[in-house]
Amino acid sequence: MQDNATEVTAAGIARLAGVGRAAVSNWRRRHADFPKPVGGTETSPSFALAEVEGWLREHSKLAEVPLRERVWQQLVGHPEGPVAALTHAGCVLLLIHDRPTLWLEVSAGSDERLAAMLPEALDQVLTPRFVHPDGRVKAPESVNTPPTVHTPTAAPLTPTTAPRTPTTAPPNPTATPHTPTTGPLTPPAAHTPALSIPTASAVLPSAPLLRGTAELAAELGARQTFEFLLGRHLDANPRQYTLTPADLAGLMADLAGPARTVLDPACGTGALLRAAAPDGPAPRPEQADQRLYAQDGAPDLAALTGLRLALHTRAGVRAAAGDTLRADAFPELRADAVLCHPPFNERNWGHDELAYDARWEYGFPARTESELAWVQHALARLRDGGTAVLLMPPAAASRRSGRRIRADLLRRGALRAVVALPVGAAPPYNIPLHLWVLRRPEKAPAQPEVLLADVGQFAGEGRGGPDWRAVRDAVLDAWRGFDRVGRLDDRPGLARSLPVIELLDDDVDLAPARHLPPPAPADGAGRLTDVRERLDRTLRLTADLTPEAADTTHPAPRWPLTTVGELARGGALVLRTGGNGGHARVPVLTDHDVLAGTGPSGTLPESEEEAVLTEPGDVVVPVLGGGSVARVIDDATAGAALGRSLVLLRPDPTALDPWFLAGFLRGTANNRQASSYASTATRLDVRRLQLPRLPLDAQHRYGARFRALDEFERALRLAGRLGEQLVRGMYDGLTDGTVAPGR
């Protein structure tokens, strides 16, 4: 079957050919044989991928389409949409992961044969991985053991086009689905299994994608291929999904501790359950025969999460789609741990129809307190002594409408800790979110205490997020010390435990910052002295680095000019653009880092895509925002991955001085003539930036002057930051009594 159904936009064509979108527009105007649009709109047309590839090869504009890009374009151009395509690809990747020989048999022959045989093959893999007929989760066959084509419970593998019913879950000793307890007049709401086996007719348009996905899996591995495709999809649709950062997910899983059964009732893309599941064949004893339960109101997310977890771990997976509060998929579950990043500030969470629900043990949440409904749902799904960790908005700790529920959670010993995270820990990134640690009480404690902690001091600069290592160490050390003995000695400015009785006032305000002792005065005074001394040294340095007066007696020279594009074509420099993915552990230099002059602070979606790594002497230029900025990479920044909206120029040192290059790229007039203007942003065409043709010795002289200017600029930035710290510290010291006003 020819892949005529897959469509690609002008941006996708540009990525295939490694050019800008302007080049694609020129090709359409100048070449009468350029493929005609087959879809899209007049302003954003789409083209048949097969026709585009043929045209690019015919005109020597494309030697070979990279396999990753081909698969990605097939996925985004799928006639049923990228989510359906990603689900089909994930099912096949699980088949390849668990039963590679079976996939080889199914994929042999035509696309029609593949589509006819695939549903039966998927039935043999999806059913035992997600639900086994006897109610137990069956461990998958090892990929190192040659698998058989048929299972004892499966019919012979024959082509079929008959529609299949969705995979459903029979009764399970741990979780037996039934109608949630609601008021007598409320009709029962339904949930559906997250994954259903696609029919032959649904699979047929995906056949080219599935073959390409299998080829990519042979190169990267099945799990890495799915992570790459899922990461690209999430990155291409950032406003559709609220993601839980991997570092935060790991911290929440560590707070909950090892668990055999883990539930995430608002699973999203599965980051929390992935953090809680062992990665490998040797889990802890507490995690042996582990079961993961996931539910999400978005069917596509529930399906993708189920596949992601099945590829990530040997644990049994139960994934369901449906509104958790209205139609709980696991009402009889009593899990060891519940991890949840619930939706915030929901008004339509079921307040009217769930008034008599049995889950509201601590009080009926107000319409504006959807987060407290999720808290009680988590507690209702725990076994006695089980732990729940929820990410919460800070307002949930102090809103008056929720004070009665908070008070009852404290009295009965269910709420064990509230941790204020630094700004930037998770979306929305401008708010310092909280973690609530809860435990379903086995018996009411005699003198309960609650742990309050605030790790806001570990916030990072810019958009790079907090210092996660420091956050993790501080939070886990305080929690484990508190959990061991039920109390914690005061840690000024960081953590303390309080008797519950001290919090049961009219407000029941649990915001940690309002209850923590301030940092020790001696530490604060010593810090101010250090800041002042550093500021004095920096101000003296700025005076030494101040540029000399400009000589204006000589007329401006008229140099012959060249452009970055011409230098790249001539081999004097290499031009690279920032990527969309990379290895998770590589620090990423973002456009904000370049503009602010700070170190690498970003992250890229986890994938096996080859990241562009910086080297000493590279020149990095942001392409958005309209600013004239260029940064020369030094030894401290080298090795970082290049982030999005950045262009890297790697000059040949025998032809170009990097400081000469960066200095002339920063000229205001130069940036103005190379910029294009849209309704909301200015974009820089780096190839159009100009610089003079000068011999290398003259470049070195200019480069030395530009380097001195860069040092002066950095000293000014440091002086500004130190000055802000000193002023803030003096205000705080004068107001809390640690600094005397003097005479």
Side-chain angles (χ1 to χ4, degrees):
M1 174 181 174
Q2 192 175 5
D3 186 21
N4 288 326
T6 301
E7 299 177 9
V8 62
T9 64
I13 297 174
R15 288 181 62 87
L16 286 172
V19 299
R21 293 184 63 178
V24 178
S25 299
N26 288 335
W27 294 343
R28 293 184 62 196
R29 288 195 301 267
R30 295 168 53 188
H31 296 275
D33 62 339
F34 192 87
K36 303 300 180 186
V38 296
T41 64
E42 184 176 348
T43 56
S44 180
S46 58
F47 307 83
L49 177 60
E51 296 179 7
V52 168
E53 289 182 17
W55 187 90
L56 291 173
R57 286 200 175 91
E58 182 181 347
H59 289 76
S60 301
K61 299 184 184 299
L62 182 66
E64 181 180 357
V65 179
L67 178 59
R68 299 185 189 199
E69 195 60 39
R70 174 195 292 273
V71 173
W72 171 248
Q73 294 298 342
Q74 289 173 331
L75 189 145
V76 297
H78 193 280
E80 298 299 322
V83 173
L86 187 55
T87 304
H88 290 173
C91 290
V92 165
L93 287 170
L94 187 58
L95 173 62
I96 294 170
H97 182 271
D98 285 4
R99 306 286 298 277
T101 306
L102 182 55
W103 163 253
L104 292 177
E105 178 185 330
V106 169
S107 60
S110 67
D111 288 350
E112 288 74 11
R113 179 180 182 274
L114 182 152
M117 299 181 71
L118 187 59
E120 186 72 23
L122 292 179
D123 188 22
Q124 297 187 35
V125 172
L126 295 181
T127 299
R129 280 307 301 266
F130 291 97
V131 181
H132 195 254
D134 64 2
R136 294 178 293 103
V137 177
K138 179 184 177 183
E141 295 184 12
S142 170
V143 294
N144 298 319
T145 304
T148 57
V149 174
H150 308 302
T151 62
T153 59
L157 188 62
T158 55
T160 176
T161 56
R164 304 190 62 85
T165 57
T167 304
T168 57
N172 182 291
T174 306
T176 306
H178 65 44
T179 305
T181 305
T182 58
L185 300 180
T186 305
H191 65 270
T192 59
L195 277 169
S196 59
I197 298 175
T199 64
S201 59
V203 168
L204 186 59
S206 301
L209 166 66
L210 301 182
R211 294 187 187 278
T213 300
E215 188 178 352
L216 189 57
E219 179 181 311
L220 303 179
R223 179 196 302 176
Q224 291 79 4
T225 298
F226 188 74
E227 289 295 325
F228 163 70
L229 295 174
L230 178 61
R232 283 283 291 265
H233 173 67
L234 298 176
D235 193 53
N237 302 275
R239 297 184 179 181
Q240 295 183 21
Y241 305 101
T242 300
L243 305 181
T244 307
D247 290 305
L248 175 58
L251 173 60
M252 294 173 67
D254 287 339
L255 285 169
R260 273 195 169 89
T261 54
V262 187
L263 166 69
D264 185 348
C267 63
T269 57
L272 293 174
L273 290 175
R274 192 166 179 251
D279 182 5
R284 294 186 184 184
E286 301 91 337
Q287 295 170 303
D289 194 26
Q290 189 180 44
R291 301 183 185 183
L292 307 176
Y293 296 84
Q295 184 170 356
D296 199 276
D300 55 338
L301 281 179
L304 295 178
T305 291
L307 290 167
R308 188 184 195 190
L309 293 173
L311 284 164
H312 172 75
T313 178
R314 298 174 65 87
V317 179
R318 291 281 301 275
D323 186 323
T324 297
L325 295 181
R326 289 186 174 91
D328 182 12
F330 312 110
E332 294 300 322
L333 176 66
R334 295 298 176 262
D336 297 318
V338 175
L339 301 174
C340 187
H341 177 174
F344 298 161
N345 302 320
E346 278 198 333
R347 296 298 182 96
N348 185 28
W349 58 267
H351 177 270
D352 295 336
E353 57 263 52
L354 298 176
Y356 300 100
D357 198 287
R359 289 171 291 183
W360 315 141
E361 297 180 47
Y362 302 88
F364 181 43
R367 188 183 303 276
T368 57
E369 293 288 352
S370 62
E371 295 86 6
L372 293 182
W374 286 98
V375 163
Q376 295 191 77
H377 173 82
L379 285 168
R381 296 296 158 263
L382 284 174
R383 64 165 175 80
D384 289 347
T387 302
V389 184
L390 283 82
L391 185 66
M392 302 284 281
S398 57
R399 279 190 300 242
R400 289 189 61 81
S401 55
R403 65 189 186 278
R404 292 184 179 178
I405 294 178
R406 292 195 299 271
D408 208 28
L409 289 169
L410 290 173
R411 287 191 195 96
R412 297 169 62 180
L415 181 57
R416 306 297 294 134
V418 176
V419 178
L421 296 171
V423 172
Y429 289 106
N430 61 329
I431 298 175
L433 300 175
H434 289 180
L435 288 179
W436 286 24
V437 183
L438 303 109
R439 184 161 289 158
R440 186 169 182 85
E442 298 179 85
K443 61 179 181 178
Q447 294 180 330
E449 294 199 6
V450 64
L451 174 68
L452 300 177
D454 189 336
V455 289
Q457 60 186 287
F458 301 118
E461 293 185 2
R463 295 180 297 180
D467 181 350
W468 278 111
R469 178 174 295 179
V471 169
R472 181 180 181 278
D473 291 345
V475 171
L476 292 180
D477 183 60
W479 165 249
R480 288 167 180 166
F482 169 79
D483 192 40
R484 199 162 41 245
V485 297
R487 62 179 306 277
L488 185 75
D489 293 334
D490 287 358
R491 300 183 181 183
L494 182 63
R496 75 184 306 185
S497 64
L498 277 177
V500 164
I501 192 66
E502 295 186 19
L503 297 170
L504 296 177
D505 54 15
D506 289 341
D507 295 323
V508 196
D509 191 334
L510 305 181
R514 296 186 177 128
H515 302 284
L516 295 181
D523 292 341
R527 221 178 284 121
L528 282 180
T529 301
D530 292 342
V531 171
R532 183 187 178 95
E533 291 175 355
R534 290 183 63 197
L535 179 59
D536 287 342
R537 291 195 299 269
T538 305
L539 290 175
R540 287 194 295 271
L541 180 62
T542 57
D544 296 338
L545 293 174
T546 302
E548 301 174 1
D551 184 0
T552 59
T553 59
H554 296 285
R558 294 184 176 274
W559 296 304
L561 299 176
T562 185
T563 65
V564 168
E566 291 173 352
L567 291 171
R569 287 192 293 272
L573 59 81
V574 174
L575 188 149
R576 303 288 299 276
T577 57
N580 293 306
H583 302 289
R585 297 179 183 270
V586 177
V588 176
L589 187 69
T590 68
D591 55 343
H592 184 273
D593 298 331
V594 175
L595 295 169
T598 56
S601 65
T603 58
L604 288 174
E606 183 179 351
S607 74
E608 292 299 315
E609 183 175 346
E610 193 69 28
V612 179
L613 302 182
T614 58
E615 297 178 2
D618 289 345
V619 178
V620 177
V621 183
V623 297
L624 295 178
S628 55
V629 177
R631 177 171 175 179
V632 179
I633 300 299
D634 55 17
D635 291 333
T637 313
L642 191 69
R644 291 169 293 177
S645 303
L646 290 176
V647 170
L648 180 144
L649 306 176
R650 182 165 293 159
D652 180 353
T654 64
L656 278 175
D657 182 289
W659 287 100
F660 164 81
L661 173 63
F664 273 95
L665 295 187
R666 290 191 61 170
T668 302
N670 198 6
N671 274 260
R672 187 181 299 119
Q673 65 84 28
S675 297
S676 59
Y677 299 91
S679 59
T680 58
T682 304
R683 186 174 185 88
L684 183 69
D685 185 351
V686 176
R687 292 177 178 272
R688 293 174 55 190
L689 288 169
Q690 299 175 336
L691 62 158
R693 295 181 181 271
L694 295 180
L696 197 57
D697 58 344
Q699 292 183 31
H700 290 330
R701 290 196 298 273
Y702 273 99
R705 192 66 182 272
F706 286 135
R707 187 168 192 163
L709 281 174
D710 181 78
E711 292 177 4
F712 176 64
E713 183 179 36
R714 293 188 185 208
L716 286 177
R717 284 176 173 163
L718 178 58
R721 290 196 294 269
L722 292 172
E724 290 177 359
Q725 291 180 29
L726 181 60
V727 170
R728 172 49 52 197
M730 289 296 294
Y731 271 111
D732 291 343
L734 288 167
T735 55
D736 64 21
T738 58
V739 174
R743 296 182 181 178

